[in-house]
Amino acid sequence: SDEIFAALGDVHQAGGDIDAALAAYREAARIAPRSARHLLRLGQACRAQGQLDQALAHLLQAREIAPQDDEILRETGLVFETRKQFDRALELYQQAARAAPDAPANYVRKGIALKQLKDYGAAEAAFERAAALDPKSVEAAKQLAVVRALNIMHGEQRVAV
């Protein structure tokens, strides 16, 4: 079944064998072509292999099936972030935050994109939101400290998320 191949792909990906994970995810997607989850996993594995065009193709298919899935939106944003297209990534992270306003990862990614775009005040607000949602998040705390330092250096004011 498609779920067996998806689980096999997860095992291979966790073990670092991305080629085997890709093969398993492709088979899962072949069996269940309307599964947004399988297409997401396939996109993630392609991104991990540096196959950004293929990753984007799979993720866009997944978005057609589940347009408000924040994990799919966030992963699509990561492809654009990897391409250094931070404005496109930011749009997707903002959509992800609207789709799942209680998911700290959406605000961490949004903050990273804003930081890359040098909007340090808005980045600080995003990291603060992530830290408020998950006070144990090391990534949110680390990014918040960095962007606060950048805000001081650049004299920017914090803005609302």
Side-chain angles (χ1 to χ4, degrees):
S1 96
D2 61 307
E3 293 299 329
I4 291 171
F5 283 103
L8 183 60
D10 291 345
V11 168
H12 286 305
Q13 186 145 355
D17 189 348
I18 304 299
D19 289 332
L22 275 169
Y25 292 140
R26 281 191 182 105
E27 186 60 19
R30 186 191 65 75
I31 295 168
R34 297 289 301 160
S35 169
R37 291 285 109 202
H38 299 336
L39 292 165
L40 168 63
R41 298 295 181 256
L42 197 48
Q44 289 170 324
C46 285
R47 183 178 58 80
Q49 285 287 81
Q51 300 170 8
L52 301 182
D53 290 340
Q54 282 186 296
L56 196 54
H58 295 303
L59 293 165
L60 291 176
Q61 281 183 285
R63 284 184 57 203
E64 287 176 16
I65 297 164
Q68 293 302 311
D69 184 301
D70 73 305
E71 191 176 359
I72 293 168
L73 290 165
R74 199 169 49 248
E75 184 64 32
T76 308
L78 281 167
V79 172
F80 286 110
E81 190 177 314
T82 302
R83 289 179 164 176
K84 308 281 188 235
Q85 293 176 292
F86 299 110
D87 53 340
R88 300 276 308 272
L90 176 59
E91 290 174 29
L92 289 154
Y93 298 146
Q94 288 172 325
Q95 289 176 36
R98 284 191 298 274
D102 294 332
N106 294 330
Y107 296 97
V108 169
R109 297 303 338 155
K110 179 180 175 180
I112 289 170
L114 286 162
K115 183 176 74 170
Q116 291 297 326
L117 292 167
K118 300 188 182 338
D119 188 345
Y120 303 124
E124 182 177 350
F127 293 131
E128 283 178 349
R129 176 80 172 129
L133 289 168
D134 182 5
K136 294 180 181 178
S137 171
V138 173
E139 181 69 9
K142 181 179 84 172
Q143 292 289 346
L144 184 55
V146 168
V147 85
R148 281 183 173 157
L150 289 167
N151 270 336
I152 291 168
M153 290 170 41
H154 295 277
E156 289 196 24
Q157 297 297 312
R158 184 189 164 283
V159 297
V161 174

